[in-house]
Amino acid sequence: MMPSEIAVYGLGVMGRNIALNMADHGLRVAVYNRTSSITEDFVGELPTDSRITAHYSLEDLAAGLSSPRIIFLMTKAGGVVDRVVEGLLPHLDSGDIVIDAGNSHFRDSQRRWEDWRQRGIRFLGVGVSGGEEGARHGPSIMPGGDPEAWPVVRDILQRIAARTEDGASCCQWVGQGAAGHYVKMIHNGIEYGDMQLITEAWQLMRDGLGMPAAEIAATFAHWNQGVLASYLIEITAEILTVTEHDGSLRVNHILDTAGQKGTGRWTAIDALELGVPLTLIGEAVFARALSSMKAERVAAAAQLGSAKVTPASKRVIELDAIRDALYAAKIISYAQGFLQLREAAAEYDWQLAYGEIATLWRAGCIIRSRFLNDIRDAFERDPGLPSLLFDDFFASALRSAEPGWRSAVTLGVQSGIPLPAMGAALSFFDGYRSAVLPAGLLQAQRDYFGAHTYQRTDRDPEQRWHTRWTGDLSEEAIDD
Ligand code: NDP
């Protein structure tokens, strides 16, 4: 029998579909799963001429692969990946490639890259997005790891990845070490932000404008034809048409406590560690945390009273204002996400190609959208763009959206509708474009209670000063 070109280890929802996707693209695929009955069930349903071969021991799996071996791990993330690789090592040769395609934390990937290299294994840490459907028909793939392993697997990964309408592959090299898993983490953070923004727009329409459900669904469907066109807006429009037997919306019966698997939290934690003002995604993570405090919220609603729903007859702001708020806040969210990528690249020593990253999110993944074309264009115009907000296209989009954005946030504030993401985005915008912030007072406070010193705007900026705040108010120059 011809040896297989690649092995898929782990036949959960993702692994099974990736294996089928690979076979559809002409690859001979070896499959293995810890629980062998899962492998049996999977291959039992395949046609006899399938290019997929089942293996039931690691020795047999290794023997069935061409050289260098390429093993695509699609297992649960965490310690499992280390244990799996320990089990594989005795059966591998120097130069073999192990691709960890699960949702691993980037710090684990960085460690594995260094560890495995010393054991002769070429590591690739690859982010995969698109869920079951993406895995089957073309996910977005974010490969990082050992740059020398990339040319060996490029053709395989690009064959199974999604393609944009203009034919670009949604699988482009991201960078060495943990860069692939880092970019996937930022993708997931952005996904949290996009989802939160959509829920806020929904509540503004429902409770702030008193719009009937069908009109809200039609509005999202209409928005999906314009600058907001995206997978998440499209599925929202669909979800908001699904009703119960009594005509009520199904979504209004779904318990309002949002789950999370942790990748949004990882993004926010790393933002805090890097000192990046990733406010919108941070708020989106906290909004899920607040949603899960259901019993406490119910009690507080009784104690403190809730937002009043505006009657439909009173359209206090234009519907377009909500669209503008959603669009402007989305620009801020992506600007913050790319700001974090820039800081991470400097901190972890990656050469990230931001335009390519926007390209590989354009299809196949959950945040796919027309908007990402504009981001790619912005980085094509200027690969060294310090922030999306300096790009003329986005700067002018923000200027046009600003009045509507402010009135939508004002409506939320006045009617008691929480807008953590839209509001945080507006505060970031106002802060980012402030040549002067009130942080001079913070510095004075720090100097008052902790003698932390400050710099002055009207003297040598390198020189530090301390005021004797509780003494004679004189200033002294402080040398390091
Ligand atoms: P799971 O995350 O549930 O992973 C299941 C697979 O991991 C099974 O093959 C399971 O084998 C294997 N596994 C678990 N523990 C061990 C172990 N100790 N040793 C060996 N194998 C083990 O399934 P998914 O397919 O949903 O996800 C796979 C990976 O892809 C995860 O890292 C996930 O985070 C990531 N991912 C998932 C997406 C999704 O939409 N589901 C999207 C993008 C990425 P067994 O059958 O023997 O239990």
Side-chain angles (χ1 to χ4, degrees):
M1 196 178 11
M2 293 270 281
S4 297
E5 291 145 289
I6 189 163
V8 174
Y9 184 132
L11 295 174
V13 180
M14 293 296 284
R16 231 174 303 144
N17 284 291
I18 286 276
L20 292 170
N21 181 350
M22 287 174 176
D24 281 354
H25 285 89
L27 292 160
R28 291 186 305 280
V29 188
V31 294
Y32 175 86
N33 194 69
R34 176 186 59 169
T35 308
S36 49
S37 58
I38 304 256
T39 314
E40 279 164 8
D41 291 349
F42 174 60
V43 292
E45 289 171 11
L46 298 174
T48 45
D49 59 352
S50 158
R51 295 185 189 87
I52 296 177
T53 314
H55 297 268
Y56 296 94
S57 76
L58 295 179
E59 193 179 5
D60 187 44
L61 178 75
L65 289 170
S66 53
S67 178
R69 298 183 183 89
I70 304 172
I71 301 181
F72 192 96
L73 300 185
M74 203 73 227
T75 64
K76 212 168 152 203
V80 168
V81 175
D82 296 306
R83 287 196 290 281
V84 162
V85 170
E86 285 305 324
L88 278 166
L89 268 173
H91 309 287
L92 300 184
D93 293 314
S94 179
D96 286 350
I97 297 170
V98 176
I99 305 174
D100 172 21
N103 263 340
S104 291
H105 192 282
F106 78 95
R107 291 194 193 281
D108 285 336
S109 300
Q110 193 69 21
R111 169 180 57 76
R112 286 175 189 138
W113 179 51
E114 286 157 12
D115 259 24
W116 298 3
R117 196 167 32 169
Q118 282 166 18
R119 296 164 171 221
I121 300 303
R122 293 189 279 176
F123 164 82
L124 287 171
V126 167
V128 175
S129 173
E132 180 177 0
E133 190 64 17
R136 180 69 186 87
H137 299 292
S140 163
I141 302 182
M142 297 151 248
D146 183 337
E148 286 170 20
W150 169 237
V152 185
V153 303
R154 176 173 30 211
D155 174 61
I156 294 181
L157 296 189
Q158 290 191 335
R159 257 199 266 177
I160 63 164
R163 290 204 166 265
T164 62
E165 279 170 5
D166 49 6
S169 170
C170 293
C171 171
Q172 306 291 337
W173 179 245
V174 172
Q176 69 175 18
H181 276 135
Y182 196 90
V183 168
K184 169 73 202 289
M185 181 185 81
I186 296 289
H187 162 282
N188 283 24
I190 286 177
E191 182 183 310
Y192 273 57
D194 279 357
M195 293 168 77
Q196 175 63 26
L197 285 171
I198 292 172
T199 65
E200 291 177 16
W202 176 48
Q203 193 180 1
L204 274 175
M205 285 189 265
R206 190 189 63 186
D207 300 345
L209 298 188
M211 283 168 62
E215 195 184 339
I216 298 176
T219 301
F220 276 116
H222 175 62
W223 288 353
N224 196 39
Q225 307 304 314
V227 289
L228 288 169
S230 62
Y231 171 71
L232 284 168
I233 295 278
E234 181 190 326
I235 66 167
T236 301
E238 260 180 63
I239 289 168
L240 294 176
T241 58
V242 178
T243 52
E244 299 287 289
H245 290 307
D246 63 0
S248 61
L249 267 191
R250 166 96 26 103
V251 73
N252 287 337
H253 297 274
I254 296 179
L255 186 66
D256 54 332
T257 59
Q260 49 181 319
K261 283 194 174 166
T263 42
R265 190 171 63 231
W266 294 349
T267 315
I269 289 171
D270 200 52
L272 289 171
E273 288 189 351
L274 292 172
V276 176
L278 191 84
T279 57
L280 192 145
I281 293 172
E283 286 291 354
V285 176
F286 289 136
R288 291 195 190 193
L290 182 63
S291 81
S292 68
M293 299 165 68
K294 176 73 174 176
E296 220 166 309
R297 287 189 289 111
V298 170
Q303 171 79 13
L304 304 167
S306 297
K308 308 254 173 316
V309 175
T310 308
S313 53
K314 258 175 87 186
R315 281 270 165 110
V316 273
I317 60 167
E318 297 294 327
L319 187 50
D320 284 353
I322 299 176
R323 181 205 56 203
D324 290 348
L326 185 49
Y327 182 46
K330 183 169 166 133
I331 295 173
I332 297 295
S333 180
Y334 283 67
Q336 292 181 342
F338 277 91
L339 209 62
Q340 180 155 336
L341 285 175
R342 187 188 73 191
E343 292 304 309
E347 177 73 18
Y348 307 122
D349 197 19
W350 297 324
Q351 310 291 320
L352 299 181
Y354 303 107
E356 301 264 289
I357 291 170
T359 294
L360 54 81
W361 291 341
R362 279 165 60 204
C365 64
I366 307 299
I367 64 169
R368 61 186 181 260
S369 66
R370 189 179 296 175
F371 176 77
L372 282 158
N373 296 350
D374 298 326
I375 296 184
R376 181 225 27 213
D377 293 348
F379 283 113
E380 269 180 12
R381 280 190 289 275
D382 177 4
L385 194 64
S387 155
L388 286 179
L389 304 194
F390 285 105
D391 177 72
D392 286 345
F393 174 85
F394 286 112
S396 112
L398 282 173
R399 269 193 294 273
S400 317
E402 190 185 335
W405 187 12
R406 285 192 192 282
S407 55
V409 171
T410 303
L411 171 62
V413 170
Q414 286 176 339
S415 25
I417 296 170
L419 301 175
M422 276 182 195
L426 189 52
S427 285
F428 173 87
F429 174 69
D430 286 334
Y432 192 74
R433 69 197 182 116
S434 290
V436 179
L437 283 170
L441 177 56
L442 281 175
Q443 287 296 79
Q445 290 165 336
R446 295 178 68 242
D447 188 53
Y448 189 112
F449 63 70
H452 292 303
T453 75
Y454 52 83
Q455 295 140 290
R456 291 187 57 120
T457 55
D458 51 357
R459 297 185 196 152
D460 173 7
E462 297 299 315
Q463 179 64 55
R464 303 203 68 91
W465 299 87
H466 169 62
T467 291
R468 295 184 184 88
W469 297 100
T470 51
D472 63 4
L473 301 183
S474 60
E475 265 183 324
E476 61 177 316
I478 305 292
D479 296 323
D480 287 338

